[in-house]
């Protein structure tokens, strides 16, 4: 395996093990032959460093076995070359499979998804004429975290749409279907009949915002590793357009069982810069107070060298 192929497997395995550090993480690592000579503290950074040291030393075969045990069929995305990379820096990557008739609407959906920390791949927008479009599409399919198939009557007449869906099903990544019309009934969709369905009501507008909200909800329930979800939640809070949206985001933020420093910093930035965040109320409490409590709980405490007889060096 190339180093670029090992890195996402290592990161996904570490993220899956972190919540189990007080339970059976060391047992799992022992069973997979990891060397556990070091020690770790109670804080997340110390535990992550310990896991990184242990997991990165595993052989390719053992690393694959550990990842499959922890994450299952929801495979971590493989790396792609810089020349073929269709993604932005936003945390969650969603491949939007669609027919050309929906191209303009899908482009608008992509812009809204960016406000939820999601970078969406739209073939006709993301491939420049100088690039081999098939290779860029394959790179997007290999490296996305989730797929959304925008269905209508002619969707399955496109061999490209069917092949894109088949690729995603083969990778075992989360898939959602989206219908823009109430008149379009699901037919014989094969394996797609088993996945989550999002249906829009055209009488309530063109639907990009509601579609983006439903895709975001599906992503935070199913995308792995969890660190990506926390990063997306933080970015969505930074761009929150309303108090109601902020409250909905906070309910998902409060359900997370850990937070990385970078995502905490983005949440604090949202409080400092977005009025729809710093003026929001959750029940009878100011959101700013809730954020302070979150930071207090998960942000590593600075070491106080003023106490005790030992010097720091």
């Amino acid at each position: 395996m190339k180093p670029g192929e090992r890195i996402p497997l290592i990161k996904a395995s570490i993220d899956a093990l972190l919540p189990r550090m007080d339970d059976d993480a060391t047992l799992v690592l022992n069973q997979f032959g990891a060397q556990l000579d070091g020690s770790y503290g109670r804080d997340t950074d110390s535990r992550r460093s310990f896991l990184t040291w242990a997991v990165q030393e595993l052989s390719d075969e053992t690393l694959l076995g550990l990842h499959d045990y922890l994450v299952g069929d929801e495979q971590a995305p493989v790396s792609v070359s810089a020349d073929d990379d269709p993604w932005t820096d936003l945390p969650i990557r969603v491949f939007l499979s669609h027919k050309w008739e929906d191209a303009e609407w899908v482009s608008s959906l992509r812009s809204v998804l960016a406000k939820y920390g999601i970078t969406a791949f739209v073939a006709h927008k993301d491939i420049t004429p100088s690039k081999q479009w098939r290779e860029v599409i394959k790179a997007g399919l290999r490296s996305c975290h989730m797929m959304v198939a925008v269905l209508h009557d002619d969707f399955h007449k496109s061999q490209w749409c069917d092949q894109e869906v088949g690729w995603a099903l083969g990778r075992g990544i989360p898939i959602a279907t989206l219908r823009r019309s109430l008149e379009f009934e699901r037919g014989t969709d094969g394996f797609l009949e088993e996945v989550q369905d999002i249906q829009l009501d055209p009488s309530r507008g063109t639907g990009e915002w509601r579609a983006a909200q439903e895709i975001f909800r599906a992503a935070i329930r199913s995308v792995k590793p969890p660190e990506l979800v926390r990063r997306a939640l933080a970015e969505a809070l930074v761009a929150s357009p309303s108090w109601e949206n902020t409250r909905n985001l906070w309910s998902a933020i409060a359900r997370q069982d850990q937070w990385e420093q970078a995502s905490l910093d983005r949440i604090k930035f949202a409080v400092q810069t977005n009025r729809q965040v710093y003026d929001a109320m959750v029940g009878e409490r100011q959101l700013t107070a809730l954020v302070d409590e979150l930071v207090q709980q998960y942000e590593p405490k600075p070491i106080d060298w003023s106490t005790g007889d030992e010097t720091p060096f």
Side-chain angles (χ1 to χ4, degrees):
M1 232 188 321
K2 298 178 180 178
E5 295 170 331
R6 284 178 56 89
I7 290 171
L9 298 179
I10 292 170
K11 293 177 68 175
S13 298
I14 291 169
D15 285 326
L17 284 166
L18 265 173
R20 303 168 67 164
M21 289 298 284
D22 292 324
D23 187 13
D24 62 352
T26 56
L27 171 63
V28 171
L29 288 170
N30 270 316
Q31 292 304 304
F32 281 89
Q35 300 298 315
L36 304 178
D37 297 333
S39 60
Y40 55 89
R42 299 290 301 174
D43 60 285
T44 300
D45 287 344
S46 173
R47 295 179 172 200
R48 183 176 290 277
S49 296
F50 171 81
L51 291 172
T52 301
W53 177 83
V55 174
Q56 70 183 359
E57 297 299 320
L58 298 176
S59 67
D60 290 351
E61 183 179 358
T62 304
L63 175 61
L64 283 168
L66 175 66
H67 177 270
D68 287 347
Y69 171 76
L70 293 169
V71 182
D73 291 334
E74 293 176 352
Q75 298 294 314
V78 301
S79 59
V80 294
S81 69
D83 291 337
D84 293 334
D85 189 351
W87 309 107
T88 68
D89 292 334
L90 294 172
I92 293 179
R93 304 170 179 176
V94 172
F95 191 106
L96 297 175
S97 182
H98 66 285
K99 286 288 297 298
W100 65 269
E101 294 96 325
D102 290 311
E104 184 176 350
W105 184 84
V106 168
S107 293
S108 299
L109 173 62
R110 175 193 181 184
S111 298
V112 181
L113 284 169
K115 300 181 184 299
Y116 286 92
I118 293 175
T119 170
F121 177 85
V122 180
H124 73 284
K125 287 290 186 181
D126 292 317
I127 302 175
T128 59
S130 61
K131 293 183 177 179
Q132 293 183 333
W133 62 273
R134 293 189 187 190
E135 293 306 311
V136 180
I137 288 176
K138 287 192 288 185
L141 290 167
R142 287 197 304 269
S143 56
C144 65
H145 302 114
M146 179 181 177
M147 172 175 282
V148 174
V150 182
L151 299 183
H152 58 65
D153 289 325
D154 293 332
F155 183 85
H156 294 295
K157 293 180 181 179
S158 167
Q159 62 173 324
W160 301 109
C161 290
D162 268 350
Q163 289 180 17
E164 289 166 359
V165 168
W167 193 312
L169 287 167
R171 278 191 57 209
I173 63 171
I175 304 178
T177 58
L178 190 152
R179 290 181 286 164
R180 296 179 59 198
S181 171
L182 296 175
E183 298 176 358
F184 170 60
E185 297 292 338
R186 294 287 294 274
T188 53
D189 291 329
F191 290 115
L192 278 183
E193 294 175 4
E194 303 173 4
V195 307
Q196 176 174 336
D197 188 41
I198 301 168
Q199 188 169 13
L200 306 180
D201 184 350
S203 67
R204 304 177 69 178
T206 53
E208 295 95 329
W209 276 95
R210 173 159 183 266
Q213 290 169 351
E214 293 300 324
I215 292 169
F216 180 70
R217 290 191 182 104
I220 64 175
R221 286 195 301 266
S222 55
V223 166
K224 293 186 178 181
E227 180 183 358
L228 292 176
V229 171
R230 292 189 286 272
R231 288 176 55 197
L233 286 167
E235 293 304 321
L237 194 67
V238 170
S240 180
S242 68
W243 293 335
E244 180 181 2
N245 188 71
T246 294
R247 284 189 286 270
N248 290 335
L249 287 171
W250 182 256
S251 66
I253 289 171
R255 288 195 298 269
Q256 302 301 305
D257 58 5
Q258 68 181 75
W259 282 92
E260 294 73 31
Q261 185 63 58
S263 294
L264 284 177
D265 288 342
R266 292 297 286 168
I267 289 176
K268 290 189 287 186
F269 180 75
V271 170
Q272 295 165 358
T273 60
N274 187 345
R275 183 174 182 178
Q276 305 304 325
V277 176
Y278 62 73
D279 278 349
M281 300 289 293
V282 178
E284 297 181 355
R285 300 198 63 191
Q286 194 83 21
L287 185 72
T288 52
L290 296 173
V291 169
D292 287 342
E293 291 176 2
L294 183 80
V295 172
Q296 182 71 18
Q297 180 178 359
Y298 290 106
E299 193 167 55
K301 305 297 186 296
I303 298 174
D304 184 3
W305 295 109
S306 65
T307 61
D309 298 325
E310 296 183 4
T311 57
F313 50 83

